[in-house]
């Protein structure tokens, strides 16, 4: 089985370079596809309280038989719980639903609500060893810079997010936000790597030409582009053949010219 490459976060924790997302899945689909993904070799599962399938994801992890310490599980705090008082309780609730003792990564799902209070709670959970890494999601570059600097300079909290999970695909490459992420040592995680099927991504001529020249699918080319950019992509699928296809991306390399052609699609 392929050993997935990893990226080291600013605190030394390793995150798999490719993961599996479970948004918009029924409970049956989530349980089954998480088990299938882990059997295929994925080791990063991305869920959230708002997906309302944490229990099913937990059952999928159980069913897989893969040891807990070989899996990287990401959860997210929903806006309604974004405050110092509620964040710790919400974290505990997610752990109970997932049937886990800890998460590998806990993200502020959206830049709304009392994000500074919630972050204080996140840092306390992290410093107490209850979660391996903490981060944010859907922060633009400007919001991210403001968040890091306000925490550091005004609130005296030095711990910056280790990850920012944002919508990222060839048609939305987050070039500006990436500069801020690089400045503060924040790893770029990309949701909707296939643009949720929009932009005619699966028939796009540029992507199709590149795919054909490697004997690969367009989906595989897109995920390979993410890996070569150092973006942690978390594709979602409920179909076994696609779950396998999306993981079969470690045996080819896009050339500089092909990477440049994809850069032009932004
Ligand atoms: P994706 O870009 O991953 O697209 C998923 C769609 O593509 C599904 O319709 C799936 O259909 C289809 N698909 C998957 N693989 C292939 C393939 N090889 N060929 C053709 N079609 C394919 O969108 P998501 O929104 O699901 O994003 C991925 C993950 O990112 C989510 O599951 C979630 O974990 C995370 N996310 C985070 C957000 C945030 O706010 N932080 C917001 C949105 C998503 P099928 O299942 O039928 O195969």
């Amino acid at each position: 089985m392929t050993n997935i490459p990893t990226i080291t976060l600013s605190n030394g924790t390793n995150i798999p370079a490719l993961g599996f997302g479970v948004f918009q899945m029924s409970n049956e689909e989530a349980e089954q596809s998480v088990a299938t993904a882990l059997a295929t070799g994925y080791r990063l599962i991305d869920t959230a309280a708002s997906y309302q399938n944490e229990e099913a994801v937990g059952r999928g992890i159980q069913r897989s038989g893969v040891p807990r310490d070989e899996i990287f599980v990401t959860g997210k705090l929903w806006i309604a719980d974004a405050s110092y008082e509620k964040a710790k309780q919400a974290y505990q609730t997610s752990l109970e639903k997932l049937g886990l003792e800890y998460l590998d990564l806990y993200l502020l799902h959206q830049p709304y609500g009392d994000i500074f209070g919630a972050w204080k709670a996140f840092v306390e959970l992290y410093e107490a060893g209850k979660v391996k890494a903490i981060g944010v999601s859907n922060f633009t570059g400007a919001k991210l810079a403001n968040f890091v600097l306000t925490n550091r300079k005004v609130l005296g909290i030095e711990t910056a997010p280790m990850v920012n999970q944002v919508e990222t695909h060839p048609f939305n490459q987050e070039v500006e936000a990436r500069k801020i992420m690089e400045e503060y040592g924040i790893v770029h995680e990309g949701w909707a790597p296939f643009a949720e099927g929009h932009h005619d991504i699966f028939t796009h001529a540029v992507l199709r030409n590149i795919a054909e020249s490697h004997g690969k699918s367009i989906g595989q080319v897109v995920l390979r582009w993410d890996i070569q950019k150092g973006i942690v992509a978390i594709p979602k699928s409920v179909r076994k053949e696609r779950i396998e296809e999306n993981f079969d991306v470690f045996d080819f390399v896009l050339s500089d010219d092909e990477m440049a052609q994809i850069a032009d699609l932004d």
Side-chain angles (χ1 to χ4, degrees):
M1 186 182 291
T2 307
N3 258 338
I4 318 165
T6 57
I7 296 174
T8 304
L9 304 180
S10 60
N11 70 337
T13 297
N14 288 326
I15 184 170
L18 174 70
F20 184 72
V22 300
F23 183 38
Q24 292 172 318
M25 286 188 189
S26 69
N27 284 318
E28 292 72 29
E29 287 171 338
E31 179 176 343
Q32 178 59 49
S33 57
V34 164
T36 303
L38 290 168
T40 302
Y42 293 80
R43 288 295 177 267
L44 189 177
I45 304 296
D46 182 271
T47 187
S50 67
Y51 301 170
Q52 300 190 354
N53 56 21
E54 290 169 306
E55 283 134 325
V57 167
R59 287 194 297 274
I61 291 172
Q62 274 288 326
R63 244 172 77 179
S64 77
V66 176
R68 170 69 185 96
D69 63 1
E70 289 180 17
I71 311 174
F72 189 105
V73 183
T74 301
K76 307 188 195 86
L77 178 80
W78 188 237
I79 305 167
D81 293 316
S83 71
Y84 179 73
E85 291 71 29
K86 291 188 184 160
K88 286 186 186 175
Q89 182 54 53
Y91 182 67
Q92 199 53 43
T93 302
S94 283
L95 288 184
E96 281 161 20
K97 287 188 173 173
L98 284 156
L100 300 177
E101 303 282 314
Y102 66 91
L103 290 184
D104 295 276
L105 178 62
Y106 197 41
L107 302 176
L108 275 180
H109 201 148
Q110 298 283 350
Y112 305 119
D114 176 12
I115 53 176
F116 292 102
W119 189 249
K120 184 167 186 275
F122 272 41
V123 171
E124 288 178 9
L125 287 169
Y126 171 65
E127 287 179 345
K130 294 184 175 166
V131 57
K132 304 280 181 199
I134 50 178
V136 298
S137 178
N138 297 307
F139 276 52
T140 61
K143 280 194 175 135
L144 194 57
N146 177 287
F147 191 66
V148 172
L149 294 175
T150 304
N151 272 305
R152 192 178 290 171
K153 308 238 182 236
V154 181
L155 302 171
I157 295 180
E158 291 293 329
T159 308
M162 292 144 204
V163 168
N164 184 24
Q165 183 185 110
V166 287
E167 179 180 358
T168 311
H169 44 73
F171 309 100
N172 183 47
Q173 300 184 17
E174 294 287 359
V175 175
E176 292 307 313
R178 258 180 96 80
K179 291 181 190 160
I180 306 288
M181 294 186 227
E182 280 164 14
E183 171 71 22
Y184 295 112
I186 299 167
V187 167
H188 181 175
E189 188 169 40
W191 63 258
F194 303 139
E196 298 181 335
H198 299 301
H199 299 276
D200 295 327
I201 190 165
F202 292 116
T203 54
H204 194 281
V206 170
L207 297 172
R208 192 175 53 223
N209 282 339
I210 297 172
E212 281 172 1
S213 74
H214 289 278
K216 287 286 181 179
S217 70
I218 286 181
Q220 289 170 324
V221 165
V222 168
L223 296 174
R224 188 67 218 177
W225 170 80
D226 280 306
I227 290 168
Q228 289 181 219
K229 294 281 289 180
I231 299 167
V232 179
I234 43 173
K236 168 262 176 187
S237 180
V238 296
R239 306 185 201 200
K240 185 171 189 289
E241 66 279 9
R242 287 181 177 170
I243 293 172
E244 290 171 353
E245 174 187 330
N246 296 344
F247 193 70
D248 183 15
V249 293
F250 297 101
D251 63 349
F252 74 114
V253 176
L254 300 174
S255 68
D256 291 347
D257 176 59
E258 290 165 336
M259 292 295 286
Q261 288 179 50
I262 298 174
D264 282 345
L265 302 180
D266 193 12

